[in-house]
Amino acid sequence: QVQLVESGGGLVQAGDSLTLSCAASGRPFGGYHMGWFRQAPGKDREFVAAITSNGDRTVYADSVKGRFTISRDNAKNTGTLQMNSLKPEDTAVYYCAASESIYYTNVHGYAYWGQGTQVTVSS
């Protein structure tokens, strides 16, 4: 099994940028597809971005397309979510997730999850 730990969240103003990191351990990260999800208070966990195990395909939610970039470095067993032009509606706990099979946007398909990191964007 792979273990995931997110970091990089914080409190920022609208228009600012943040970079979230996902550190994997236990197994080589290259053996897993990866996704980022977020959950705001009172709302369901929603898809943000996904990337295949070798990085050859990426998928983004319409709400973040053009602002967020997902990437990975399998040699370092890390994944990254670069978030630019942040908006108050981006405020949520962000989770890194991994799976052996491709699930992309399907939150229920990912078997492995990090603990989450809080992102708060003020007006």
Side-chain angles (χ1 to χ4, degrees), residues 1-39:
Q1 295 183 354
V2 65
Q3 294 81 48
L4 306 173
V5 178
E6 302 96 333
S7 62
L11 174 62
V12 299
Q13 293 182 325
D16 285 352
S17 297
L18 276 176
T19 301
L20 304 184
S21 295
C22 177
S25 62
R27 295 289 185 182
F29 199 38
Y32 301 87
H33 308 286
M34 186 186 75
W36 287 93
F37 296 80
R38 65 188 184 187
Q39 188 166 22

PDB file of all heavy atoms in Angstrom, residues 1-39:
ATOM      1  N   GLN A   1       0.835  -1.183   0.000  1.00  0.00           N
ATOM      2  CA  GLN A   1       0.000   0.000   0.000  1.00  0.00           C
ATOM      3  C   GLN A   1       0.877   1.241   0.000  1.00  0.00           C
ATOM      4  O   GLN A   1       1.989   1.219   0.513  1.00  0.00           O
ATOM      5  CB  GLN A   1      -0.931   0.023   1.216  1.00  0.00           C
ATOM      6  CG  GLN A   1      -1.947  -1.086   1.246  1.00  0.00           C
ATOM      7  CD  GLN A   1      -2.885  -0.954   2.433  1.00  0.00           C
ATOM      8  OE1 GLN A   1      -2.703  -0.093   3.288  1.00  0.00           O
ATOM      9  NE2 GLN A   1      -3.883  -1.816   2.472  1.00  0.00           N
ATOM     10  N   VAL A   2       0.318   2.306  -0.552  1.00  0.00           N
ATOM     11  CA  VAL A   2       1.007   3.576  -0.575  1.00  0.00           C
ATOM     12  C   VAL A   2       0.374   4.511   0.459  1.00  0.00           C
ATOM     13  O   VAL A   2      -0.843   4.497   0.661  1.00  0.00           O
ATOM     14  CB  VAL A   2       0.956   4.202  -1.985  1.00  0.00           C
ATOM     15  CG1 VAL A   2      -0.474   4.546  -2.379  1.00  0.00           C
ATOM     16  CG2 VAL A   2       1.860   5.421  -2.063  1.00  0.00           C
ATOM     17  N   GLN A   3       1.206   5.277   1.133  1.00  0.00           N
ATOM     18  CA  GLN A   3       0.735   6.291   2.061  1.00  0.00           C
ATOM     19  C   GLN A   3       0.958   7.668   1.453  1.00  0.00           C
ATOM     20  O   GLN A   3       1.971   7.898   0.795  1.00  0.00           O
ATOM     21  CB  GLN A   3       1.461   6.189   3.403  1.00  0.00           C
ATOM     22  CG  GLN A   3       1.164   4.920   4.186  1.00  0.00           C
ATOM     23  CD  GLN A   3       1.988   3.748   3.698  1.00  0.00           C
ATOM     24  OE1 GLN A   3       3.197   3.842   3.526  1.00  0.00           O
ATOM     25  NE2 GLN A   3       1.318   2.624   3.477  1.00  0.00           N
ATOM     26  N   LEU A   4       0.014   8.582   1.693  1.00  0.00           N
ATOM     27  CA  LEU A   4       0.052   9.902   1.096  1.00  0.00           C
ATOM     28  C   LEU A   4      -0.050  10.970   2.175  1.00  0.00           C
ATOM     29  O   LEU A   4      -0.850  10.846   3.102  1.00  0.00           O
ATOM     30  CB  LEU A   4      -1.102  10.084   0.111  1.00  0.00           C
ATOM     31  CG  LEU A   4      -1.240   9.030  -0.985  1.00  0.00           C
ATOM     32  CD1 LEU A   4      -2.523   9.268  -1.765  1.00  0.00           C
ATOM     33  CD2 LEU A   4      -0.034   9.074  -1.912  1.00  0.00           C
ATOM     34  N   VAL A   5       0.741  12.021   2.031  1.00  0.00           N
ATOM     35  CA  VAL A   5       0.712  13.146   2.950  1.00  0.00           C
ATOM     36  C   VAL A   5       0.717  14.433   2.154  1.00  0.00           C
ATOM     37  O   VAL A   5       1.653  14.692   1.392  1.00  0.00           O
ATOM     38  CB  VAL A   5       1.904  13.127   3.923  1.00  0.00           C
ATOM     39  CG1 VAL A   5       1.851  14.344   4.836  1.00  0.00           C
ATOM     40  CG2 VAL A   5       1.909  11.855   4.749  1.00  0.00           C
ATOM     41  N   GLU A   6      -0.323  15.259   2.345  1.00  0.00           N
ATOM     42  CA  GLU A   6      -0.405  16.547   1.673  1.00  0.00           C
ATOM     43  C   GLU A   6       0.249  17.633   2.521  1.00  0.00           C
ATOM     44  O   GLU A   6       0.289  17.537   3.750  1.00  0.00           O
ATOM     45  CB  GLU A   6      -1.862  16.957   1.411  1.00  0.00           C
ATOM     46  CG  GLU A   6      -2.666  15.972   0.586  1.00  0.00           C
ATOM     47  CD  GLU A   6      -3.469  15.034   1.451  1.00  0.00           C
ATOM     48  OE1 GLU A   6      -3.062  14.771   2.604  1.00  0.00           O
ATOM     49  OE2 GLU A   6      -4.517  14.555   0.968  1.00  0.00           O
ATOM     50  N   SER A   7       0.706  18.665   1.847  1.00  0.00           N
ATOM     51  CA  SER A   7       1.245  19.833   2.527  1.00  0.00           C
ATOM     52  C   SER A   7       1.126  21.033   1.603  1.00  0.00           C
ATOM     53  O   SER A   7       0.884  20.886   0.406  1.00  0.00           O
ATOM     54  CB  SER A   7       2.702  19.618   2.945  1.00  0.00           C
ATOM     55  OG  SER A   7       3.530  19.417   1.813  1.00  0.00           O
ATOM     56  N   GLY A   8       1.288  22.221   2.163  1.00  0.00           N
ATOM     57  CA  GLY A   8       1.312  23.432   1.365  1.00  0.00           C
ATOM     58  C   GLY A   8       0.090  24.314   1.474  1.00  0.00           C
ATOM     59  O   GLY A   8       0.069  25.407   0.896  1.00  0.00           O
ATOM     60  N   GLY A   9      -0.927  23.876   2.197  1.00  0.00           N
ATOM     61  CA  GLY A   9      -2.107  24.697   2.354  1.00  0.00           C
ATOM     62  C   GLY A   9      -1.842  25.903   3.228  1.00  0.00           C
ATOM     63  O   GLY A   9      -0.807  26.009   3.887  1.00  0.00           O
ATOM     64  N   GLY A  10      -2.799  26.831   3.237  1.00  0.00           N
ATOM     65  CA  GLY A  10      -2.657  28.024   4.044  1.00  0.00           C
ATOM     66  C   GLY A  10      -3.741  29.026   3.769  1.00  0.00           C
ATOM     67  O   GLY A  10      -4.708  28.754   3.049  1.00  0.00           O
ATOM     68  N   LEU A  11      -3.592  30.203   4.359  1.00  0.00           N
ATOM     69  CA  LEU A  11      -4.531  31.307   4.205  1.00  0.00           C
ATOM     70  C   LEU A  11      -3.937  32.332   3.256  1.00  0.00           C
ATOM     71  O   LEU A  11      -2.852  32.870   3.516  1.00  0.00           O
ATOM     72  CB  LEU A  11      -4.822  31.944   5.567  1.00  0.00           C
ATOM     73  CG  LEU A  11      -5.676  33.203   5.574  1.00  0.00           C
ATOM     74  CD1 LEU A  11      -7.060  32.917   5.020  1.00  0.00           C
ATOM     75  CD2 LEU A  11      -5.759  33.765   6.986  1.00  0.00           C
ATOM     76  N   VAL A  12      -4.650  32.605   2.169  1.00  0.00           N
ATOM     77  CA  VAL A  12      -4.179  33.558   1.167  1.00  0.00           C
ATOM     78  C   VAL A  12      -5.325  34.461   0.747  1.00  0.00           C
ATOM     79  O   VAL A  12      -6.490  34.211   1.050  1.00  0.00           O
ATOM     80  CB  VAL A  12      -3.593  32.859  -0.070  1.00  0.00           C
ATOM     81  CG1 VAL A  12      -2.388  32.008   0.307  1.00  0.00           C
ATOM     82  CG2 VAL A  12      -4.661  32.012  -0.753  1.00  0.00           C
ATOM     83  N   GLN A  13      -4.984  35.520   0.027  1.00  0.00           N
ATOM     84  CA  GLN A  13      -5.977  36.432  -0.511  1.00  0.00           C
ATOM     85  C   GLN A  13      -6.351  36.047  -1.932  1.00  0.00           C
ATOM     86  O   GLN A  13      -5.588  35.381  -2.630  1.00  0.00           O
ATOM     87  CB  GLN A  13      -5.449  37.864  -0.490  1.00  0.00           C
ATOM     88  CG  GLN A  13      -5.242  38.440   0.898  1.00  0.00           C
ATOM     89  CD  GLN A  13      -4.775  39.876   0.853  1.00  0.00           C
ATOM     90  OE1 GLN A  13      -4.028  40.277  -0.029  1.00  0.00           O
ATOM     91  NE2 GLN A  13      -5.235  40.666   1.822  1.00  0.00           N
ATOM     92  N   ALA A  14      -7.529  36.455  -2.350  1.00  0.00           N
ATOM     93  CA  ALA A  14      -7.966  36.203  -3.714  1.00  0.00           C
ATOM     94  C   ALA A  14      -6.933  36.724  -4.704  1.00  0.00           C
ATOM     95  O   ALA A  14      -6.394  37.821  -4.545  1.00  0.00           O
ATOM     96  CB  ALA A  14      -9.319  36.853  -3.962  1.00  0.00           C
ATOM     97  N   GLY A  15      -6.652  35.913  -5.710  1.00  0.00           N
ATOM     98  CA  GLY A  15      -5.655  36.251  -6.704  1.00  0.00           C
ATOM     99  C   GLY A  15      -4.281  35.695  -6.424  1.00  0.00           C
ATOM    100  O   GLY A  15      -3.431  35.682  -7.324  1.00  0.00           O
ATOM    101  N   ASP A  16      -4.056  35.233  -5.214  1.00  0.00           N
ATOM    102  CA  ASP A  16      -2.759  34.668  -4.845  1.00  0.00           C
ATOM    103  C   ASP A  16      -2.607  33.251  -5.388  1.00  0.00           C
ATOM    104  O   ASP A  16      -3.535  32.674  -5.961  1.00  0.00           O
ATOM    105  CB  ASP A  16      -2.601  34.654  -3.329  1.00  0.00           C
ATOM    106  CG  ASP A  16      -2.309  36.024  -2.761  1.00  0.00           C
ATOM    107  OD1 ASP A  16      -2.082  36.962  -3.540  1.00  0.00           O
ATOM    108  OD2 ASP A  16      -2.312  36.148  -1.520  1.00  0.00           O
ATOM    109  N   SER A  17      -1.428  32.693  -5.178  1.00  0.00           N
ATOM    110  CA  SER A  17      -1.110  31.341  -5.611  1.00  0.00           C
ATOM    111  C   SER A  17      -0.661  30.489  -4.440  1.00  0.00           C
ATOM    112  O   SER A  17      -0.127  30.996  -3.450  1.00  0.00           O
ATOM    113  CB  SER A  17      -0.002  31.359  -6.671  1.00  0.00           C
ATOM    114  OG  SER A  17      -0.401  32.049  -7.837  1.00  0.00           O
ATOM    115  N   LEU A  18      -0.881  29.198  -4.570  1.00  0.00           N
ATOM    116  CA  LEU A  18      -0.400  28.210  -3.616  1.00  0.00           C
ATOM    117  C   LEU A  18       0.027  26.970  -4.377  1.00  0.00           C
ATOM    118  O   LEU A  18      -0.541  26.664  -5.425  1.00  0.00           O
ATOM    119  CB  LEU A  18      -1.471  27.818  -2.606  1.00  0.00           C
ATOM    120  CG  LEU A  18      -1.695  28.682  -1.372  1.00  0.00           C
ATOM    121  CD1 LEU A  18      -2.877  28.124  -0.579  1.00  0.00           C
ATOM    122  CD2 LEU A  18      -0.456  28.732  -0.502  1.00  0.00           C
ATOM    123  N   THR A  19       0.998  26.266  -3.837  1.00  0.00           N
ATOM    124  CA  THR A  19       1.413  24.989  -4.380  1.00  0.00           C
ATOM    125  C   THR A  19       1.220  23.911  -3.328  1.00  0.00           C
ATOM    126  O   THR A  19       1.805  23.984  -2.248  1.00  0.00           O
ATOM    127  CB  THR A  19       2.885  25.014  -4.829  1.00  0.00           C
ATOM    128  OG1 THR A  19       3.070  26.023  -5.818  1.00  0.00           O
ATOM    129  CG2 THR A  19       3.278  23.662  -5.422  1.00  0.00           C
ATOM    130  N   LEU A  20       0.396  22.936  -3.645  1.00  0.00           N
ATOM    131  CA  LEU A  20       0.182  21.805  -2.761  1.00  0.00           C
ATOM    132  C   LEU A  20       1.065  20.646  -3.191  1.00  0.00           C
ATOM    133  O   LEU A  20       1.241  20.408  -4.385  1.00  0.00           O
ATOM    134  CB  LEU A  20      -1.278  21.368  -2.780  1.00  0.00           C
ATOM    135  CG  LEU A  20      -2.320  22.434  -2.449  1.00  0.00           C
ATOM    136  CD1 LEU A  20      -3.710  21.801  -2.415  1.00  0.00           C
ATOM    137  CD2 LEU A  20      -2.003  23.110  -1.130  1.00  0.00           C
ATOM    138  N   SER A  21       1.597  19.936  -2.218  1.00  0.00           N
ATOM    139  CA  SER A  21       2.439  18.782  -2.494  1.00  0.00           C
ATOM    140  C   SER A  21       1.832  17.531  -1.890  1.00  0.00           C
ATOM    141  O   SER A  21       1.162  17.582  -0.857  1.00  0.00           O
ATOM    142  CB  SER A  21       3.842  18.990  -1.927  1.00  0.00           C
ATOM    143  OG  SER A  21       4.499  20.060  -2.577  1.00  0.00           O
ATOM    144  N   CYS A  22       2.081  16.419  -2.540  1.00  0.00           N
ATOM    145  CA  CYS A  22       1.637  15.114  -2.077  1.00  0.00           C
ATOM    146  C   CYS A  22       2.849  14.198  -2.050  1.00  0.00           C
ATOM    147  O   CYS A  22       3.395  13.864  -3.104  1.00  0.00           O
ATOM    148  CB  CYS A  22       0.551  14.562  -3.004  1.00  0.00           C
ATOM    149  SG  CYS A  22      -0.035  12.910  -2.587  1.00  0.00           S
ATOM    150  N   ALA A  23       3.267  13.821  -0.862  1.00  0.00           N
ATOM    151  CA  ALA A  23       4.410  12.939  -0.702  1.00  0.00           C
ATOM    152  C   ALA A  23       3.935  11.510  -0.508  1.00  0.00           C
ATOM    153  O   ALA A  23       3.126  11.239   0.382  1.00  0.00           O
ATOM    154  CB  ALA A  23       5.261  13.378   0.485  1.00  0.00           C
ATOM    155  N   ALA A  24       4.419  10.614  -1.335  1.00  0.00           N
ATOM    156  CA  ALA A  24       4.033   9.211  -1.277  1.00  0.00           C
ATOM    157  C   ALA A  24       5.153   8.379  -0.672  1.00  0.00           C
ATOM    158  O   ALA A  24       6.335   8.646  -0.890  1.00  0.00           O
ATOM    159  CB  ALA A  24       3.691   8.693  -2.668  1.00  0.00           C
ATOM    160  N   SER A  25       4.763   7.360   0.054  1.00  0.00           N
ATOM    161  CA  SER A  25       5.730   6.447   0.642  1.00  0.00           C
ATOM    162  C   SER A  25       5.131   5.049   0.711  1.00  0.00           C
ATOM    163  O   SER A  25       3.932   4.866   0.544  1.00  0.00           O
ATOM    164  CB  SER A  25       6.153   6.908   2.038  1.00  0.00           C
ATOM    165  OG  SER A  25       5.050   6.942   2.924  1.00  0.00           O
ATOM    166  N   GLY A  26       5.967   4.079   0.947  1.00  0.00           N
ATOM    167  CA  GLY A  26       5.514   2.705   1.063  1.00  0.00           C
ATOM    168  C   GLY A  26       5.625   1.918  -0.224  1.00  0.00           C
ATOM    169  O   GLY A  26       5.987   0.736  -0.195  1.00  0.00           O
ATOM    170  N   ARG A  27       5.312   2.546  -1.333  1.00  0.00           N
ATOM    171  CA  ARG A  27       5.396   1.950  -2.659  1.00  0.00           C
ATOM    172  C   ARG A  27       5.826   3.006  -3.656  1.00  0.00           C
ATOM    173  O   ARG A  27       5.560   4.196  -3.442  1.00  0.00           O
ATOM    174  CB  ARG A  27       4.045   1.363  -3.082  1.00  0.00           C
ATOM    175  CG  ARG A  27       3.563   0.196  -2.252  1.00  0.00           C
ATOM    176  CD  ARG A  27       4.381  -1.033  -2.523  1.00  0.00           C
ATOM    177  NE  ARG A  27       3.863  -2.193  -1.810  1.00  0.00           N
ATOM    178  CZ  ARG A  27       4.418  -3.394  -1.835  1.00  0.00           C
ATOM    179  NH1 ARG A  27       5.517  -3.602  -2.549  1.00  0.00           N
ATOM    180  NH2 ARG A  27       3.881  -4.385  -1.152  1.00  0.00           N
ATOM    181  N   PRO A  28       6.440   2.604  -4.750  1.00  0.00           N
ATOM    182  CA  PRO A  28       6.801   3.585  -5.783  1.00  0.00           C
ATOM    183  C   PRO A  28       5.571   4.302  -6.309  1.00  0.00           C
ATOM    184  O   PRO A  28       4.598   3.666  -6.701  1.00  0.00           O
ATOM    185  CB  PRO A  28       7.461   2.731  -6.863  1.00  0.00           C
ATOM    186  CG  PRO A  28       7.978   1.529  -6.130  1.00  0.00           C
ATOM    187  CD  PRO A  28       6.958   1.251  -5.066  1.00  0.00           C
ATOM    188  N   PHE A  29       5.625   5.607  -6.320  1.00  0.00           N
ATOM    189  CA  PHE A  29       4.483   6.410  -6.718  1.00  0.00           C
ATOM    190  C   PHE A  29       4.118   6.202  -8.178  1.00  0.00           C
ATOM    191  O   PHE A  29       2.964   6.402  -8.568  1.00  0.00           O
ATOM    192  CB  PHE A  29       4.775   7.889  -6.442  1.00  0.00           C
ATOM    193  CG  PHE A  29       3.556   8.757  -6.386  1.00  0.00           C
ATOM    194  CD1 PHE A  29       2.388   8.319  -5.811  1.00  0.00           C
ATOM    195  CD2 PHE A  29       3.596  10.038  -6.913  1.00  0.00           C
ATOM    196  CE1 PHE A  29       1.262   9.125  -5.754  1.00  0.00           C
ATOM    197  CE2 PHE A  29       2.486  10.862  -6.857  1.00  0.00           C
ATOM    198  CZ  PHE A  29       1.315  10.403  -6.278  1.00  0.00           C
ATOM    199  N   GLY A  30       5.083   5.816  -8.993  1.00  0.00           N
ATOM    200  CA  GLY A  30       4.836   5.593 -10.403  1.00  0.00           C
ATOM    201  C   GLY A  30       3.869   4.456 -10.688  1.00  0.00           C
ATOM    202  O   GLY A  30       3.379   4.332 -11.811  1.00  0.00           O
ATOM    203  N   GLY A  31       3.573   3.646  -9.705  1.00  0.00           N
ATOM    204  CA  GLY A  31       2.623   2.567  -9.868  1.00  0.00           C
ATOM    205  C   GLY A  31       1.175   2.971  -9.670  1.00  0.00           C
ATOM    206  O   GLY A  31       0.292   2.116  -9.731  1.00  0.00           O
ATOM    207  N   TYR A  32       0.933   4.268  -9.432  1.00  0.00           N
ATOM    208  CA  TYR A  32      -0.407   4.741  -9.108  1.00  0.00           C
ATOM    209  C   TYR A  32      -0.812   5.944  -9.939  1.00  0.00           C
ATOM    210  O   TYR A  32       0.005   6.833 -10.195  1.00  0.00           O
ATOM    211  CB  TYR A  32      -0.489   5.128  -7.632  1.00  0.00           C
ATOM    212  CG  TYR A  32      -0.172   4.000  -6.686  1.00  0.00           C
ATOM    213  CD1 TYR A  32       1.138   3.738  -6.311  1.00  0.00           C
ATOM    214  CD2 TYR A  32      -1.187   3.204  -6.169  1.00  0.00           C
ATOM    215  CE1 TYR A  32       1.431   2.692  -5.448  1.00  0.00           C
ATOM    216  CE2 TYR A  32      -0.902   2.166  -5.308  1.00  0.00           C
ATOM    217  CZ  TYR A  32       0.405   1.912  -4.952  1.00  0.00           C
ATOM    218  OH  TYR A  32       0.687   0.878  -4.093  1.00  0.00           O
ATOM    219  N   HIS A  33      -2.066   5.962 -10.348  1.00  0.00           N
ATOM    220  CA  HIS A  33      -2.670   7.166 -10.874  1.00  0.00           C
ATOM    221  C   HIS A  33      -2.992   8.076  -9.686  1.00  0.00           C
ATOM    222  O   HIS A  33      -3.182   7.608  -8.563  1.00  0.00           O
ATOM    223  CB  HIS A  33      -3.937   6.839 -11.656  1.00  0.00           C
ATOM    224  CG  HIS A  33      -3.715   5.801 -12.698  1.00  0.00           C
ATOM    225  ND1 HIS A  33      -3.045   6.069 -13.882  1.00  0.00           N
ATOM    226  CD2 HIS A  33      -4.051   4.485 -12.736  1.00  0.00           C
ATOM    227  CE1 HIS A  33      -2.992   4.958 -14.600  1.00  0.00           C
ATOM    228  NE2 HIS A  33      -3.590   3.984 -13.929  1.00  0.00           N
ATOM    229  N   MET A  34      -3.062   9.374  -9.921  1.00  0.00           N
ATOM    230  CA  MET A  34      -3.240  10.320  -8.832  1.00  0.00           C
ATOM    231  C   MET A  34      -4.315  11.344  -9.144  1.00  0.00           C
ATOM    232  O   MET A  34      -4.475  11.762 -10.294  1.00  0.00           O
ATOM    233  CB  MET A  34      -1.921  11.048  -8.546  1.00  0.00           C
ATOM    234  CG  MET A  34      -1.962  11.956  -7.331  1.00  0.00           C
ATOM    235  SD  MET A  34      -0.440  12.932  -7.130  1.00  0.00           S
ATOM    236  CE  MET A  34      -0.650  14.146  -8.416  1.00  0.00           C
ATOM    237  N   GLY A  35      -5.030  11.740  -8.111  1.00  0.00           N
ATOM    238  CA  GLY A  35      -6.018  12.793  -8.251  1.00  0.00           C
ATOM    239  C   GLY A  35      -5.992  13.733  -7.068  1.00  0.00           C
ATOM    240  O   GLY A  35      -5.487  13.387  -5.991  1.00  0.00           O
ATOM    241  N   TRP A  36      -6.498  14.935  -7.285  1.00  0.00           N
ATOM    242  CA  TRP A  36      -6.719  15.898  -6.218  1.00  0.00           C
ATOM    243  C   TRP A  36      -8.215  16.159  -6.101  1.00  0.00           C
ATOM    244  O   TRP A  36      -8.905  16.356  -7.117  1.00  0.00           O
ATOM    245  CB  TRP A  36      -5.993  17.219  -6.481  1.00  0.00           C
ATOM    246  CG  TRP A  36      -4.513  17.155  -6.305  1.00  0.00           C
ATOM    247  CD1 TRP A  36      -3.573  16.905  -7.249  1.00  0.00           C
ATOM    248  CD2 TRP A  36      -3.798  17.372  -5.083  1.00  0.00           C
ATOM    249  NE1 TRP A  36      -2.315  16.944  -6.707  1.00  0.00           N
ATOM    250  CE2 TRP A  36      -2.423  17.231  -5.373  1.00  0.00           C
ATOM    251  CE3 TRP A  36      -4.172  17.675  -3.776  1.00  0.00           C
ATOM    252  CZ2 TRP A  36      -1.427  17.376  -4.409  1.00  0.00           C
ATOM    253  CZ3 TRP A  36      -3.186  17.816  -2.822  1.00  0.00           C
ATOM    254  CH2 TRP A  36      -1.831  17.663  -3.139  1.00  0.00           C
ATOM    255  N   PHE A  37      -8.704  16.169  -4.883  1.00  0.00           N
ATOM    256  CA  PHE A  37     -10.098  16.439  -4.586  1.00  0.00           C
ATOM    257  C   PHE A  37     -10.170  17.481  -3.482  1.00  0.00           C
ATOM    258  O   PHE A  37      -9.205  17.689  -2.745  1.00  0.00           O
ATOM    259  CB  PHE A  37     -10.825  15.159  -4.154  1.00  0.00           C
ATOM    260  CG  PHE A  37     -10.901  14.121  -5.231  1.00  0.00           C
ATOM    261  CD1 PHE A  37      -9.821  13.298  -5.508  1.00  0.00           C
ATOM    262  CD2 PHE A  37     -12.062  13.969  -5.979  1.00  0.00           C
ATOM    263  CE1 PHE A  37      -9.884  12.346  -6.510  1.00  0.00           C
ATOM    264  CE2 PHE A  37     -12.140  13.016  -6.980  1.00  0.00           C
ATOM    265  CZ  PHE A  37     -11.049  12.206  -7.246  1.00  0.00           C
ATOM    266  N   ARG A  38     -11.318  18.127  -3.360  1.00  0.00           N
ATOM    267  CA  ARG A  38     -11.483  19.108  -2.295  1.00  0.00           C
ATOM    268  C   ARG A  38     -12.873  19.008  -1.706  1.00  0.00           C
ATOM    269  O   ARG A  38     -13.812  18.562  -2.359  1.00  0.00           O
ATOM    270  CB  ARG A  38     -11.227  20.527  -2.801  1.00  0.00           C
ATOM    271  CG  ARG A  38     -12.226  21.028  -3.840  1.00  0.00           C
ATOM    272  CD  ARG A  38     -11.757  22.355  -4.419  1.00  0.00           C
ATOM    273  NE  ARG A  38     -12.714  22.914  -5.353  1.00  0.00           N
ATOM    274  CZ  ARG A  38     -12.502  23.987  -6.098  1.00  0.00           C
ATOM    275  NH1 ARG A  38     -11.343  24.637  -6.007  1.00  0.00           N
ATOM    276  NH2 ARG A  38     -13.441  24.426  -6.927  1.00  0.00           N
ATOM    277  N   GLN A  39     -12.984  19.428  -0.463  1.00  0.00           N
ATOM    278  CA  GLN A  39     -14.253  19.366   0.228  1.00  0.00           C
ATOM    279  C   GLN A  39     -14.429  20.608   1.086  1.00  0.00           C
ATOM    280  O   GLN A  39     -13.635  20.868   1.990  1.00  0.00           O
ATOM    281  CB  GLN A  39     -14.342  18.112   1.095  1.00  0.00           C
ATOM    282  CG  GLN A  39     -15.706  17.876   1.697  1.00  0.00           C
ATOM    283  CD  GLN A  39     -15.851  16.474   2.249  1.00  0.00           C
ATOM    284  OE1 GLN A  39     -14.866  15.816   2.562  1.00  0.00           O
ATOM    285  NE2 GLN A  39     -17.082  16.007   2.349  1.00  0.00           N
TER     286      GLN A  39
END
